[in-house]
């Protein structure tokens, strides 16, 4: 097998171009699709990519990811099974950690509760659509801070609410669309982000 070409060497102070930032974001999105980055990591690194001023900063963001043009012989592990149905009837359903929601997912709570934490999830595509139905129950969805949330639907003797974080919307990350229907129940979407990964990446560790 032919030797793999080395990664491009960059001068430490060379200014990054817009095209280089977009290529870095594309590499990050590919990493998320193949399960190498969680939704949280994708959102954080994408923000840092658009903020980067030098090529070296961009290189640090993808240093632990294969680049398709250079690492074509890397074979991905089988993708995790997608979870479309998240149902709680007189009980609870809790999804968190490293899991893969289907692009068109359903959350149903009947006299029960559904908790979906997307921060460490693996997201495919440009958007994630969740149809959330709460009947005498509650549904909570947690997304990484800075990710765009589109909450729609209606509530009858219940409520739907989005609690955005303080970070601005980051371009280049998938959109989470929630179609909420609440009957004597509640649906809440929260935007949260821990600072650990962002701090580590800024320090280059």
């Amino acid at each position: 097998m032919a030797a793999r070409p080395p990664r491009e060497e960059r001068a430490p102070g060379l200014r990054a171009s817009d095209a280089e930032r977009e290529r870095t974001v594309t590499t990050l999105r590919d990493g998320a699709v193949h399960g190498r980055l969680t939704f949280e990591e994708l959102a954080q690194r994408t923000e840092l990519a658009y903020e980067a001023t030098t090529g070296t900063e961009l290189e640090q963001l993808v240093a632990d990811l294969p680049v398709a043009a250079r690492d074509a012989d890397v074979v991905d592990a089988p993708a995790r099974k997608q979870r479309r149905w998240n149902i709680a009837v007189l009980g609870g359903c809790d999804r968190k950690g490293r899991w893969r929601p289907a692009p068109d997912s359903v959350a149903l709570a009947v006299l029960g509760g559904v908790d979906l934490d997307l921060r460490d999830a693996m997201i495919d595509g440009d958007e994630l659509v969740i149809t959330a139905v709460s009947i005498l129950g509650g549904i909570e969805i947690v997304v990484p801070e800075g990710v765009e949330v589109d909450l729609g639907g209606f509530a009858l003797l219940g409520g739907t609410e989005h609690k955005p974080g303080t970070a601005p919307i980051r371009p280049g990350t998938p959109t989470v669309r929630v179609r909420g229907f609440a009957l004597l129940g509640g649906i809440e979407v929260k935007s949260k982000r821990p600072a650990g990964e962002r701090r580590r990446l800024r320090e280059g560790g």
Side-chain angles (χ1 to χ4, degrees), residues 173-196:
T173 56
T175 299
V176 177
R177 303 190 188 280
V178 180
R179 298 179 298 205
F181 306 94
L183 174 61
L184 291 168
I187 299 170
E188 185 176 59
V189 184
K190 296 180 179 179
S191 297
K192 295 182 179 180
R193 178 184 59 169

PDB file of all heavy atoms in Angstrom, residues 173-196:
ATOM      1  N   THR A 173     -23.801  24.339  11.875  1.00  0.00           N
ATOM      2  CA  THR A 173     -24.235  23.202  12.688  1.00  0.00           C
ATOM      3  C   THR A 173     -25.672  22.821  12.331  1.00  0.00           C
ATOM      4  O   THR A 173     -26.458  23.652  11.877  1.00  0.00           O
ATOM      5  CB  THR A 173     -24.155  23.539  14.190  1.00  0.00           C
ATOM      6  OG1 THR A 173     -24.928  24.720  14.446  1.00  0.00           O
ATOM      7  CG2 THR A 173     -22.723  23.795  14.613  1.00  0.00           C
ATOM      8  N   PRO A 174     -26.047  21.558  12.551  1.00  0.00           N
ATOM      9  CA  PRO A 174     -27.409  21.127  12.227  1.00  0.00           C
ATOM     10  C   PRO A 174     -28.463  21.888  13.036  1.00  0.00           C
ATOM     11  O   PRO A 174     -28.210  22.319  14.161  1.00  0.00           O
ATOM     12  CB  PRO A 174     -27.399  19.634  12.591  1.00  0.00           C
ATOM     13  CG  PRO A 174     -25.968  19.228  12.530  1.00  0.00           C
ATOM     14  CD  PRO A 174     -25.199  20.429  12.990  1.00  0.00           C
ATOM     15  N   THR A 175     -29.638  22.034  12.454  1.00  0.00           N
ATOM     16  CA  THR A 175     -30.776  22.662  13.121  1.00  0.00           C
ATOM     17  C   THR A 175     -31.644  21.586  13.765  1.00  0.00           C
ATOM     18  O   THR A 175     -31.868  20.531  13.184  1.00  0.00           O
ATOM     19  CB  THR A 175     -31.620  23.465  12.115  1.00  0.00           C
ATOM     20  OG1 THR A 175     -30.806  24.491  11.537  1.00  0.00           O
ATOM     21  CG2 THR A 175     -32.834  24.093  12.779  1.00  0.00           C
ATOM     22  N   VAL A 176     -32.114  21.851  14.971  1.00  0.00           N
ATOM     23  CA  VAL A 176     -33.033  20.941  15.657  1.00  0.00           C
ATOM     24  C   VAL A 176     -34.442  21.527  15.546  1.00  0.00           C
ATOM     25  O   VAL A 176     -34.713  22.618  16.063  1.00  0.00           O
ATOM     26  CB  VAL A 176     -32.651  20.748  17.138  1.00  0.00           C
ATOM     27  CG1 VAL A 176     -33.677  19.854  17.841  1.00  0.00           C
ATOM     28  CG2 VAL A 176     -31.254  20.134  17.252  1.00  0.00           C
ATOM     29  N   ARG A 177     -35.322  20.819  14.851  1.00  0.00           N
ATOM     30  CA  ARG A 177     -36.712  21.262  14.691  1.00  0.00           C
ATOM     31  C   ARG A 177     -37.608  20.370  15.544  1.00  0.00           C
ATOM     32  O   ARG A 177     -37.616  19.144  15.365  1.00  0.00           O
ATOM     33  CB  ARG A 177     -37.132  21.202  13.226  1.00  0.00           C
ATOM     34  CG  ARG A 177     -36.235  22.021  12.299  1.00  0.00           C
ATOM     35  CD  ARG A 177     -36.819  22.132  10.894  1.00  0.00           C
ATOM     36  NE  ARG A 177     -35.855  22.746   9.979  1.00  0.00           N
ATOM     37  CZ  ARG A 177     -35.633  24.061   9.897  1.00  0.00           C
ATOM     38  NH1 ARG A 177     -36.330  24.878  10.662  1.00  0.00           N
ATOM     39  NH2 ARG A 177     -34.733  24.531   9.057  1.00  0.00           N
ATOM     40  N   VAL A 178     -38.344  20.991  16.445  1.00  0.00           N
ATOM     41  CA  VAL A 178     -39.237  20.255  17.342  1.00  0.00           C
ATOM     42  C   VAL A 178     -40.672  20.642  17.015  1.00  0.00           C
ATOM     43  O   VAL A 178     -41.035  21.822  17.084  1.00  0.00           O
ATOM     44  CB  VAL A 178     -38.928  20.553  18.817  1.00  0.00           C
ATOM     45  CG1 VAL A 178     -39.883  19.777  19.731  1.00  0.00           C
ATOM     46  CG2 VAL A 178     -37.480  20.197  19.146  1.00  0.00           C
ATOM     47  N   ARG A 179     -41.467  19.650  16.638  1.00  0.00           N
ATOM     48  CA  ARG A 179     -42.899  19.859  16.407  1.00  0.00           C
ATOM     49  C   ARG A 179     -43.622  19.341  17.647  1.00  0.00           C
ATOM     50  O   ARG A 179     -43.758  18.135  17.844  1.00  0.00           O
ATOM     51  CB  ARG A 179     -43.333  19.117  15.146  1.00  0.00           C
ATOM     52  CG  ARG A 179     -42.617  19.613  13.889  1.00  0.00           C
ATOM     53  CD  ARG A 179     -43.013  18.866  12.648  1.00  0.00           C
ATOM     54  NE  ARG A 179     -42.670  17.446  12.711  1.00  0.00           N
ATOM     55  CZ  ARG A 179     -42.471  16.689  11.635  1.00  0.00           C
ATOM     56  NH1 ARG A 179     -42.612  17.191  10.438  1.00  0.00           N
ATOM     57  NH2 ARG A 179     -42.158  15.419  11.774  1.00  0.00           N
ATOM     58  N   GLY A 180     -44.027  20.275  18.503  1.00  0.00           N
ATOM     59  CA  GLY A 180     -44.569  19.899  19.802  1.00  0.00           C
ATOM     60  C   GLY A 180     -46.082  19.963  19.867  1.00  0.00           C
ATOM     61  O   GLY A 180     -46.700  20.934  19.427  1.00  0.00           O
ATOM     62  N   PHE A 181     -46.677  18.924  20.452  1.00  0.00           N
ATOM     63  CA  PHE A 181     -48.121  18.848  20.655  1.00  0.00           C
ATOM     64  C   PHE A 181     -48.362  18.402  22.092  1.00  0.00           C
ATOM     65  O   PHE A 181     -48.057  17.260  22.461  1.00  0.00           O
ATOM     66  CB  PHE A 181     -48.754  17.862  19.665  1.00  0.00           C
ATOM     67  CG  PHE A 181     -48.422  18.165  18.231  1.00  0.00           C
ATOM     68  CD1 PHE A 181     -47.348  17.542  17.608  1.00  0.00           C
ATOM     69  CD2 PHE A 181     -49.157  19.094  17.509  1.00  0.00           C
ATOM     70  CE1 PHE A 181     -47.024  17.827  16.294  1.00  0.00           C
ATOM     71  CE2 PHE A 181     -48.836  19.389  16.189  1.00  0.00           C
ATOM     72  CZ  PHE A 181     -47.766  18.756  15.578  1.00  0.00           C
ATOM     73  N   ALA A 182     -48.891  19.320  22.912  1.00  0.00           N
ATOM     74  CA  ALA A 182     -49.058  19.044  24.339  1.00  0.00           C
ATOM     75  C   ALA A 182     -50.520  19.142  24.730  1.00  0.00           C
ATOM     76  O   ALA A 182     -51.182  20.150  24.454  1.00  0.00           O
ATOM     77  CB  ALA A 182     -48.233  20.022  25.162  1.00  0.00           C
ATOM     78  N   LEU A 183     -51.022  18.107  25.378  1.00  0.00           N
ATOM     79  CA  LEU A 183     -52.372  18.064  25.917  1.00  0.00           C
ATOM     80  C   LEU A 183     -52.271  17.764  27.405  1.00  0.00           C
ATOM     81  O   LEU A 183     -51.880  16.656  27.804  1.00  0.00           O
ATOM     82  CB  LEU A 183     -53.221  16.992  25.217  1.00  0.00           C
ATOM     83  CG  LEU A 183     -54.621  16.742  25.785  1.00  0.00           C
ATOM     84  CD1 LEU A 183     -55.469  18.010  25.708  1.00  0.00           C
ATOM     85  CD2 LEU A 183     -55.302  15.584  25.051  1.00  0.00           C
ATOM     86  N   LEU A 184     -52.548  18.787  28.224  1.00  0.00           N
ATOM     87  CA  LEU A 184     -52.389  18.634  29.674  1.00  0.00           C
ATOM     88  C   LEU A 184     -50.983  18.132  30.007  1.00  0.00           C
ATOM     89  O   LEU A 184     -50.789  17.337  30.922  1.00  0.00           O
ATOM     90  CB  LEU A 184     -53.442  17.665  30.232  1.00  0.00           C
ATOM     91  CG  LEU A 184     -54.888  18.153  30.208  1.00  0.00           C
ATOM     92  CD1 LEU A 184     -55.850  17.016  30.500  1.00  0.00           C
ATOM     93  CD2 LEU A 184     -55.087  19.279  31.232  1.00  0.00           C
ATOM     94  N   GLY A 185     -50.037  18.587  29.238  1.00  0.00           N
ATOM     95  CA  GLY A 185     -48.648  18.179  29.442  1.00  0.00           C
ATOM     96  C   GLY A 185     -47.706  19.297  29.054  1.00  0.00           C
ATOM     97  O   GLY A 185     -48.131  20.401  28.699  1.00  0.00           O
ATOM     98  N   GLY A 186     -46.421  19.025  29.125  1.00  0.00           N
ATOM     99  CA  GLY A 186     -45.444  20.051  28.823  1.00  0.00           C
ATOM    100  C   GLY A 186     -44.302  19.534  27.966  1.00  0.00           C
ATOM    101  O   GLY A 186     -43.914  18.367  28.061  1.00  0.00           O
ATOM    102  N   ILE A 187     -43.779  20.425  27.123  1.00  0.00           N
ATOM    103  CA  ILE A 187     -42.623  20.123  26.267  1.00  0.00           C
ATOM    104  C   ILE A 187     -41.634  21.269  26.438  1.00  0.00           C
ATOM    105  O   ILE A 187     -41.974  22.433  26.231  1.00  0.00           O
ATOM    106  CB  ILE A 187     -43.022  19.985  24.790  1.00  0.00           C
ATOM    107  CG1 ILE A 187     -44.023  18.829  24.613  1.00  0.00           C
ATOM    108  CG2 ILE A 187     -41.787  19.764  23.916  1.00  0.00           C
ATOM    109  CD1 ILE A 187     -44.656  18.790  23.232  1.00  0.00           C
ATOM    110  N   GLU A 188     -40.412  20.929  26.815  1.00  0.00           N
ATOM    111  CA  GLU A 188     -39.405  21.950  27.074  1.00  0.00           C
ATOM    112  C   GLU A 188     -38.116  21.601  26.335  1.00  0.00           C
ATOM    113  O   GLU A 188     -37.636  20.470  26.402  1.00  0.00           O
ATOM    114  CB  GLU A 188     -39.125  22.056  28.577  1.00  0.00           C
ATOM    115  CG  GLU A 188     -38.176  23.155  28.960  1.00  0.00           C
ATOM    116  CD  GLU A 188     -38.015  23.268  30.470  1.00  0.00           C
ATOM    117  OE1 GLU A 188     -37.591  22.280  31.097  1.00  0.00           O
ATOM    118  OE2 GLU A 188     -38.315  24.345  31.024  1.00  0.00           O
ATOM    119  N   VAL A 189     -37.580  22.594  25.627  1.00  0.00           N
ATOM    120  CA  VAL A 189     -36.299  22.438  24.934  1.00  0.00           C
ATOM    121  C   VAL A 189     -35.307  23.377  25.609  1.00  0.00           C
ATOM    122  O   VAL A 189     -35.539  24.584  25.694  1.00  0.00           O
ATOM    123  CB  VAL A 189     -36.415  22.773  23.436  1.00  0.00           C
ATOM    124  CG1 VAL A 189     -35.080  22.515  22.732  1.00  0.00           C
ATOM    125  CG2 VAL A 189     -37.517  21.946  22.782  1.00  0.00           C
ATOM    126  N   LYS A 190     -34.195  22.825  26.087  1.00  0.00           N
ATOM    127  CA  LYS A 190     -33.181  23.607  26.781  1.00  0.00           C
ATOM    128  C   LYS A 190     -31.876  23.591  25.984  1.00  0.00           C
ATOM    129  O   LYS A 190     -31.476  22.554  25.459  1.00  0.00           O
ATOM    130  CB  LYS A 190     -32.911  23.034  28.178  1.00  0.00           C
ATOM    131  CG  LYS A 190     -34.086  23.097  29.131  1.00  0.00           C
ATOM    132  CD  LYS A 190     -33.698  22.512  30.487  1.00  0.00           C
ATOM    133  CE  LYS A 190     -34.841  22.588  31.482  1.00  0.00           C
ATOM    134  NZ  LYS A 190     -34.448  22.001  32.800  1.00  0.00           N
ATOM    135  N   SER A 191     -31.230  24.741  25.925  1.00  0.00           N
ATOM    136  CA  SER A 191     -29.917  24.840  25.279  1.00  0.00           C
ATOM    137  C   SER A 191     -28.858  24.940  26.372  1.00  0.00           C
ATOM    138  O   SER A 191     -28.864  25.868  27.184  1.00  0.00           O
ATOM    139  CB  SER A 191     -29.854  26.078  24.382  1.00  0.00           C
ATOM    140  OG  SER A 191     -30.804  25.987  23.332  1.00  0.00           O
ATOM    141  N   LYS A 192     -27.948  23.950  26.376  1.00  0.00           N
ATOM    142  CA  LYS A 192     -26.908  23.904  27.400  1.00  0.00           C
ATOM    143  C   LYS A 192     -25.569  23.576  26.751  1.00  0.00           C
ATOM    144  O   LYS A 192     -25.505  22.887  25.747  1.00  0.00           O
ATOM    145  CB  LYS A 192     -27.218  22.833  28.455  1.00  0.00           C
ATOM    146  CG  LYS A 192     -28.459  23.091  29.291  1.00  0.00           C
ATOM    147  CD  LYS A 192     -28.612  21.995  30.323  1.00  0.00           C
ATOM    148  CE  LYS A 192     -29.817  22.206  31.215  1.00  0.00           C
ATOM    149  NZ  LYS A 192     -29.955  21.117  32.218  1.00  0.00           N
ATOM    150  N   ARG A 193     -24.503  24.035  27.391  1.00  0.00           N
ATOM    151  CA  ARG A 193     -23.170  23.692  26.894  1.00  0.00           C
ATOM    152  C   ARG A 193     -22.169  23.732  28.035  1.00  0.00           C
ATOM    153  O   ARG A 193     -22.010  24.763  28.688  1.00  0.00           O
ATOM    154  CB  ARG A 193     -22.718  24.669  25.813  1.00  0.00           C
ATOM    155  CG  ARG A 193     -21.313  24.390  25.293  1.00  0.00           C
ATOM    156  CD  ARG A 193     -20.847  25.423  24.304  1.00  0.00           C
ATOM    157  NE  ARG A 193     -20.842  26.757  24.864  1.00  0.00           N
ATOM    158  CZ  ARG A 193     -20.268  27.790  24.252  1.00  0.00           C
ATOM    159  NH1 ARG A 193     -19.712  27.640  23.078  1.00  0.00           N
ATOM    160  NH2 ARG A 193     -20.296  28.985  24.807  1.00  0.00           N
ATOM    161  N   PRO A 194     -21.456  22.638  28.292  1.00  0.00           N
ATOM    162  CA  PRO A 194     -20.348  22.704  29.236  1.00  0.00           C
ATOM    163  C   PRO A 194     -19.160  23.395  28.588  1.00  0.00           C
ATOM    164  O   PRO A 194     -19.035  23.427  27.368  1.00  0.00           O
ATOM    165  CB  PRO A 194     -20.045  21.224  29.530  1.00  0.00           C
ATOM    166  CG  PRO A 194     -20.500  20.507  28.311  1.00  0.00           C
ATOM    167  CD  PRO A 194     -21.672  21.282  27.774  1.00  0.00           C
ATOM    168  N   ALA A 195     -18.275  23.948  29.386  1.00  0.00           N
ATOM    169  CA  ALA A 195     -17.160  24.721  28.851  1.00  0.00           C
ATOM    170  C   ALA A 195     -15.888  23.904  28.670  1.00  0.00           C
ATOM    171  O   ALA A 195     -14.919  24.392  28.103  1.00  0.00           O
ATOM    172  CB  ALA A 195     -16.868  25.912  29.766  1.00  0.00           C
ATOM    173  N   GLY A 196     -15.866  22.660  29.125  1.00  0.00           N
ATOM    174  CA  GLY A 196     -14.633  21.887  29.145  1.00  0.00           C
ATOM    175  C   GLY A 196     -13.977  21.701  27.795  1.00  0.00           C
ATOM    176  O   GLY A 196     -12.783  21.954  27.610  1.00  0.00           O
TER     177      GLY A 196
END
